[in-house]
Amino acid sequence: MKSMKLGKTMLQAPVIGLGCMRITELKNSQNVRQFIDTAMDQGVNFFDHADIYGGGDAERLFGEAVDPSQREKMIIQTKCAIRPGVAYDFSKDHILKSVDESLKRLHTEYLDILLLHRPDTLMEPEEVAEVFNHLKTSGKVRYFGVSNHNSMQIELLNKYCGNKIVINQLQLSLAHCPMIDCGLNVNTYHDAGINRDGNVLEYCRLKDITIQAWSPFQYGMFEGVFLNNEKFPELNKKIDELAEKYGVSNNAIAVAWILRHPAHIQTIVGTTNKERLIQICKASEVVLTREEWYELYMAAGKQLP
């Protein structure tokens, strides 16, 4: 498994990380432990959580399953700031409470990475900076990032946080890539050329912020997967051709398309199937050609000027 540096940090992480949103489907800590072992055997030691996954049960099950001897070999990331029934909360009290509860559920003394889950328009960036400094100096969190933020929201946070934002987790797949679409349709009337995110892809590259791609097999906003979907006949035909050429599965080609981008994007996959995870990990061995990358992009029904 290839590794990468996350943002401006020296934190080495695999190009593929495991999202733990659905880990409660494994039912008990024994099954979770077996799944963790499979991931580690494949070189996947990056585990992405959030305090709201399973109402906290995803973190709890994971924490119960981890062998203490494995902890130093892992990179554990979690997210906070979504408050079900309220909205979003970047307040000092909420972030500190969320971190302490996550640490307890995960059975760990520190988080490698903490992300602010979605933008809070009522945030006070000075307050966030104070919280980050406290969490850093207390040893509870090593690095910080955000999820689903645009460039100016990150710029505002970093003004007060001393450029501590090193990760931005964003939805990205072959069938959902507006951050790429707008850059390819500059100065056109195409809908794809609408800049919806403040050139977040280029901004993150300029600022050495690592983009983490979530939902790499989804189209739209949670509308479903595009693999083996009759709505995407040309895309699946091309994916299957390349899967046969490279001797990998179709999901590996979908991830390889993301990994081919020079932004060095880390892909977060959410499978709880061990065999599927092994198949996906083969993506790190595939380097698509420029021609193949664009052929896949166009097969997804994209528009170019």
Side-chain angles (χ1 to χ4, degrees):
M1 175 69 67
K2 297 176 182 177
S3 65
M4 61 191 296
K5 291 179 182 178
L6 292 180
K8 301 170 186 176
T9 76
M10 294 300 292
L11 190 64
Q12 291 289 336
V15 293
I16 296 171
L18 185 63
C20 298
M21 177 185 287
R22 296 194 295 272
I23 208 167
T24 52
E25 295 174 1
L26 296 176
K27 304 297 185 184
N28 59 61
S29 58
Q30 182 178 355
N31 290 337
V32 175
R33 184 178 299 113
Q34 292 174 355
F35 191 66
I36 291 171
D37 289 343
T38 298
M40 299 284 279
D41 288 344
Q42 296 302 308
V44 177
N45 68 339
F46 190 102
F47 300 93
D48 173 64
H49 291 270
D51 56 359
I52 63 167
Y53 291 169
D57 283 344
E59 289 182 333
R60 179 185 57 78
L61 263 177
F62 186 89
E64 292 173 355
V66 171
D67 186 322
S69 66
Q70 293 176 309
R71 177 60 185 98
E72 292 301 315
K73 302 173 185 176
M74 291 178 167
I75 300 172
I76 296 179
Q77 170 178 284
T78 198
K79 301 182 284 293
C80 72
I82 293 180
R83 288 183 61 190
V86 178
Y88 313 116
D89 191 344
F90 283 14
S91 68
K92 178 180 179 180
D93 289 345
H94 181 71
I95 294 175
L96 291 178
K97 181 174 181 288
S98 296
V99 168
D100 284 342
E101 291 176 350
S102 288
L103 290 172
K104 183 177 180 180
R105 287 191 293 263
L106 289 164
H107 294 193
T108 184
E109 295 181 354
Y110 68 95
L111 301 170
D112 294 286
I113 307 166
L114 175 69
L115 304 186
L116 301 176
H117 208 157
R118 282 193 177 274
D120 174 14
T121 195
L122 299 180
M123 75 168 178
E124 299 286 353
E126 301 95 331
E127 185 177 5
V128 175
E130 181 184 349
V131 177
F132 282 4
N133 288 336
H134 172 75
L135 292 171
K136 179 77 171 180
T137 56
S138 66
K140 291 183 179 180
V141 180
R142 296 177 65 192
Y143 301 103
F144 301 91
V146 294
S147 182
N148 308 299
H149 282 55
N150 67 31
S151 55
M152 288 299 100
Q153 289 165 337
I154 297 173
E155 193 75 3
L156 178 60
L157 280 168
N158 267 340
K159 175 182 177 181
Y160 297 93
C161 295
N163 295 313
K164 288 187 174 67
I165 304 299
V166 297
I167 289 169
N168 191 11
Q169 191 175 101
L170 298 159
Q171 185 178 3
L172 176 65
S173 76
L174 251 169
H176 182 97
C177 50
M179 71 178 77
I180 292 174
D181 296 339
C182 69
L184 289 173
N185 287 272
V186 173
N187 198 33
T188 73
Y189 286 117
H190 297 167
D191 286 347
I194 297 172
N195 186 343
R196 295 179 170 87
D197 53 30
N199 298 105
V200 70
L201 174 61
E202 290 78 14
Y203 173 83
C204 288
R205 294 183 73 181
L206 282 168
K207 299 294 184 177
D208 295 324
I209 295 172
T210 297
I211 292 175
Q212 292 177 347
W214 60 268
S215 287
F217 309 115
Q218 293 276 337
Y219 68 95
M221 290 292 290
F222 306 111
E223 293 177 38
V225 299
F226 57 83
L227 292 174
N228 303 317
N229 187 328
E230 61 184 12
K231 292 183 179 181
F232 299 90
E234 293 303 315
L235 177 57
N236 279 287
K237 178 182 178 183
K238 188 61 188 177
I239 288 173
D240 291 344
E241 288 176 3
L242 292 173
E244 183 176 358
K245 173 184 173 180
Y246 287 102
V248 297
S249 62
N250 59 353
N251 46 41
I253 293 298
V255 172
W257 183 84
I258 296 173
L259 299 183
R260 173 64 176 80
H261 197 281
H264 304 296
I265 298 166
Q266 184 186 37
T267 305
I268 305 296
V269 300
T271 184
T272 55
N273 182 294
K274 289 188 286 188
E275 291 305 315
R276 188 162 182 251
L277 177 61
I278 292 170
Q279 292 174 358
I280 291 170
C281 288
K282 297 293 184 182
S284 66
E285 302 171 7
V286 176
V287 180
L288 298 173
T289 67
R290 177 181 295 269
E291 290 79 11
E292 289 166 346
W293 191 94
Y294 275 108
E295 286 170 359
L296 285 167
Y297 180 79
M298 296 305 294
K302 301 299 182 178
Q303 189 175 22
L304 290 177

